[in-house]
Amino acid sequence: MFNLILFGPPGSGKGTQSEKLVDKYGLVHLSTGNLLREEIANKTPLGLEAKAFIDKGQLVPDEVVIGMVDSFFEHHKDAKGFLFDGFPRTAAQAVALDKLLELKKTEIAAVLALEVGEEELVKRLLNRGKTSGRSDDSDEDVIRKRFNVYMTETSAVGDHYKKARKFQNIKGEGSVSDIFNSLSDSIDKKMKKNA
Ligand code: AMP
């Protein structure tokens, strides 16, 4: 298996690039944000619980998210690899993911982190909010709160994978296709090394 984490702050392009990368490399896209929004749309108890956190720009509790990922794995036993987008977002989630992958006799091959300046991120998110219908993209206070959470809770995920020497920064500003090419170059190199 080849498992990849696409890392970076809200608005850094993880969703856009993930769609293209899963197509190119035949990986299964696991976006915890998308899974949570599906739960909300289906009005499940999990969705109702998650919505309160998401609307405030806070993280959904680790045990909820980890349980959701575990059950996603159960439903995708034949995957030849996963692309994780928006997960893990805390050190505890990173440790849990490593353990879940170990049970599957696999591991994270690389963490590619999209780097984008904060003002560009705010601009992108407010723009996305106009068409996405996502309430957490429409309010600048909620957006700033999400950046704050990223700095205080999610940056630990970067440290976790830096220690494991799996972390790499990628310039996340420029055209979608240039960024896609940079990501693809890095992935190709990793795949060659792992082959
Ligand atoms: P995203 O679509 O990845 O930007 O996620 C939207 C929102 O869903 C986040 O601001 C969090 O409230 C919640 N969320 C998504 N993924 C996670 C996660 N791995 N852990 C906790 N909360 C999450």
Side-chain angles (χ1 to χ4, degrees), residues 115-170:
E115 284 187 306
V116 181
E118 180 160 336
E119 292 319 305
E120 168 72 14
L121 292 170
V122 175
K123 226 172 42 194
R124 287 188 192 179
L125 288 169
L126 285 171
N127 242 328
R128 184 169 81 184
K130 285 183 199 154
T131 51
S132 69
R134 279 182 60 168
S135 56
D136 60 342
D137 285 343
S138 307
D139 179 330
E140 191 164 334
D141 287 344
V142 174
I143 290 174
R144 301 264 178 206
K145 167 78 191 165
R146 285 159 67 201
F147 291 155
N148 208 17
V149 167
Y150 181 78
M151 293 307 295
T152 54
E153 298 184 59
T154 305
S155 56
V157 173
D159 298 339
H160 177 91
Y161 290 106
K162 274 176 201 161
K163 262 189 227 150
R165 308 179 71 80
K166 294 182 173 177
F167 187 92
Q168 193 185 338
N169 279 313
I170 303 278

Side-chain angles (χ1 to χ4, degrees), residues 22-34:
V22 294
D23 261 9
K24 174 161 181 184
Y25 293 100
L27 304 173
V28 172
H29 186 195
L30 199 172
S31 155
T32 43
N34 287 353

